[in-house]
Amino acid sequence: MGFEFRIAARLTPGQRQHIAQLLDTLPQARRRHDGGPAWELRMAGNTGAMPNVDVALDAGGLSVCQYGAADAWHGLPALRGYLDAQDVAYAVEEVDD
């Protein structure tokens, strides 16, 4: 169980591609499926069954599941920095199960 968040944002195809490339370059991130739009992030020392963060790109922005923090951006400062630098309007909402 984790904290689930919706980051609603209108992303251009170029922005989506840049976000995918950004996540691909993070040393703690790996794609769930080759070429797929979902990543898991494992912080240094995490050898357990669960990642620290799951991130997925979808038509409406991003879905984030935080397994160790109640903060949508935990472990994702580069992603937030990119959205802010590009002046992408986004809204973060915690999703209840």
Side-chain angles (χ1 to χ4, degrees):
M1 292 280 207
F3 299 95
E4 294 185 33
F5 298 93
R6 178 89 195 113
I7 301 173
R10 287 188 172 172
L11 301 169
T12 67
Q15 289 168 330
R16 291 174 60 79
Q17 182 178 8
H18 188 87
I19 289 169
Q21 291 170 342
L22 183 146
L23 291 169
D24 283 340
T25 63
L26 293 176
Q28 69 272 26
R30 74 170 183 84
R31 285 202 192 218
R32 289 213 172 263
H33 304 286
D34 287 341
W39 294 259
E40 69 172 31
L41 283 73
R42 290 181 176 273
M43 305 313 166
N46 180 351
T47 59
M50 299 297 291
N52 295 89
V53 184
D54 278 326
V55 180
L57 272 167
D58 58 36
L62 299 122
S63 295
V64 176
C65 187
Q66 294 281 354
Y67 294 102
D71 173 15
W73 299 110
H74 182 74
L76 300 170
L79 174 59
R80 185 177 195 177
Y82 172 75
L83 294 175
D84 290 342
Q86 294 294 305
D87 291 323
V88 173
Y90 58 84
V92 178
E93 179 181 350
E94 188 168 359
V95 178
D96 294 327
D97 285 49

